[in-house]
Amino acid sequence: PWLPGDLQLPAPGERFSRAVAKAIYGSEYYQNREITKALDEFAEGILASDKTPLVVVAFSLGGAVGSGVVVELARHLSNIKLGRRPWVVGIGVLPSAADAPEIADGSFFPVINELDCMIDTEKNNGVMAVWGDLYKNPFTGGFFAVPQDDVQQITGDLAQTHARVDAGIAGFLTSGGGVHLYETLKALN
């Protein structure tokens, strides 16, 4: 029931639609397949940590696969697998104006809308009133949107831009053992 039997799946390297990505994730998760097992193992490791765990879900807001499944993945991690104990932080990388047209053209509106319904407390209360507590904002530690255009203006090269943004995010998350992220979240919360 997740996908019509006559659906032609994209070939390797071809673009997946957001709907197909969501359907594949949902099918895998709710039929206790590989994704469910991977999330269970991940959660066990996080909950067994002797440190204060922070879970970061970093993804591109452009494209279709990552942005298509991120809310479900974060929801299942935060609300089910981790029981809302560790903070789950979302980091969404905005498309650059230099990205391919199908990534940078506003086709990422559905994920922005979906995130808005999770992150905005008033809207999220309305969602939960209809769909239940499972749809409570999964980003218990907050959500950050990371722009790329300023870096693109400096580098003039899309691959360098992506590498510098990725390195900047990784540096912020790991610097001082994550203390900067933790202190930022403490100040915001």
Side-chain angles (χ1 to χ4, degrees), residues 92-179:
V93 179
L94 291 162
S96 163
D99 277 317
E102 64 270 11
I103 293 173
D105 69 353
S107 59
F108 64 99
F109 175 77
V111 74
I112 297 294
N113 189 44
E114 196 171 23
L115 289 167
D116 185 41
C117 288
M118 293 290 152
I119 296 166
D120 182 287
T121 302
E122 189 174 322
K123 289 178 186 172
N124 189 242
N125 286 337
V127 169
M128 288 189 308
V130 174
W131 298 104
D133 286 345
L134 180 58
Y135 287 85
K136 187 173 189 140
N137 178 6
F139 298 110
T140 56
F143 180 82
F144 297 89
V146 179
Q148 298 186 84
D149 282 333
D150 288 344
V151 177
Q152 175 63 32
Q153 287 179 354
I154 294 167
T155 68
D157 178 79
L158 189 58
Q160 276 187 15
T161 296
H162 290 168
R164 285 179 77 172
V165 168
D166 292 349
I169 292 169
F172 176 71
L173 295 175
T174 60
S175 178
V179 72

Side-chain angles (χ1 to χ4, degrees), residues 37-49:
K37 293 175 181 118
L39 289 174
D40 286 340
E41 288 176 23
F42 178 77
E44 286 173 24
I46 295 298
L47 295 173
S49 176

Side-chain angles (χ1 to χ4, degrees), residues 3-78:
L3 294 167
D6 62 347
L7 177 70
Q8 185 70 30
L9 289 177
E14 288 183 357
R15 187 170 166 81
F16 266 74
S17 74
R18 179 179 164 82
V20 169
K22 280 184 166 301
I24 290 171
Y25 175 87
S27 174
E28 285 290 308
Y29 181 83
Y30 289 108
Q31 293 177 21
N32 289 321
R33 293 190 177 152
E34 189 174 335
I35 191 70
T36 308
K37 293 175 181 118
L39 289 174
D40 286 340
E41 288 176 23
F42 178 77
E44 286 173 24
I46 295 298
L47 295 173
S49 176
D50 62 346
K51 307 280 188 239
T52 301
L54 292 173
V55 176
V56 176
V57 180
F59 63 99
S60 170
L61 286 166
V65 176
S67 68
V69 303
V70 72
V71 171
E72 281 82 4
L73 187 138
R75 200 166 44 86
H76 292 142
L77 267 177
S78 180

